[in-house]
Amino acid sequence: MMNWNVKLVTTIVLCYQNTLQQIQKTLQSIFEQVYPRIEIIIADDGSTGFDRGTLVNWIEINKSNCIQQVHVLHLDQNQGTVRNLRNALKCMHGEYYMTLGGADVLAKNDVISYMMMSAALFQYKDLLITGRACHVNDEYKDAKDILSCEDYAIMRKRDAQALYSRLFYRCCIATVATLYRRDFASVCDAYDVRYYYYEDYPSFLRMARKGITPLFLNKLITLHPRGGIANGAIDKDITVVKKFYQDRELLYENEIKPYLKSQSKYIKVQIKIRRDRLETQYLWDLWKRSSYRQRLVLIQKHPWHLFFSLKKGDTLRGRLFRMGVGCLLLLSVFSAS
């Protein structure tokens, strides 16, 4: 346990359309860490109106002695989370790193110290160390665990096959509460640029296939505000919704479908139920953002999903919608016969 606090730790803050106040809130939680050797990389993914000069000046005034160096990166065009992270990793000097969103906050001032002390306790053999993360509101209150008790129980076991089966169904590792060893990307073939937003989920599946599990710490690491696209945010642009859906389908085709034979019938059924639910959610997200003409196209392409997922009720709009979709279903049956 000697010299557990000498390794440089890089905190990568991934930003896109975050306000200056949000980024400052994240940085302040890093400045307050008691761990003595921290590097910060702020990686902005082509945000409009990103004021690099103001941010750099604020950092110089407010940073603490634990901050060894700061890099502020800004892409001219939005390239997605995966490419933004890979660009940040090129500048990294730390032997370990964390990734935070542009509004995330480290829960206490000792979380990096606690994780690095745990890494030293096991002779730095663990490729990643993870803890708990909570969703919070805009005031960073009303905290609720992102993951379930079952997720935590599986991680405590350190059973790679059990973790792999769980990851088939859902991402059960909180990225924003995870400390990675520098060589994580190379060992696990992580951060595949075919994905736009999914920097973590495909990487964790590949990791578990190799028999690697994280060291789990039952400690709250990060407070993560609700509202991101991965959390089902309803205010995102239609192009964002489509790209996230494309990532999800790509994940299924590349990381799940080719390996389904090794899973139990129960897991296969659960995956099908989850895919149907996510498909329905995606279609209704599109519906909310579509014009009347686009909605007609959606009805023609996905009548069954829309018809059977519509909440039953006696409103005139609901009855008319079900009648219209029902007519289209009948027309499709007759035209196919």
Side-chain angles (χ1 to χ4, degrees), residues 316-335:
L316 177 61
R317 182 182 297 178
R319 291 201 302 271
L320 289 173
F321 180 86
R322 295 182 75 86
M323 287 172 59
V325 176
C327 290
L328 286 171
L329 283 170
L330 287 172
L331 285 173
S332 64
V333 170
F334 285 125
S335 62

Side-chain angles (χ1 to χ4, degrees), residues 8 37-41 63 66-71 93:
L8 183 66
R37 300 202 67 222
I38 299 175
E39 173 187 51
I40 298 176
I41 300 175
K63 70 177 181 179
C66 71
I67 308 302
Q68 303 291 295
Q69 48 194 324
V70 180
H71 311 275
H93 298 93

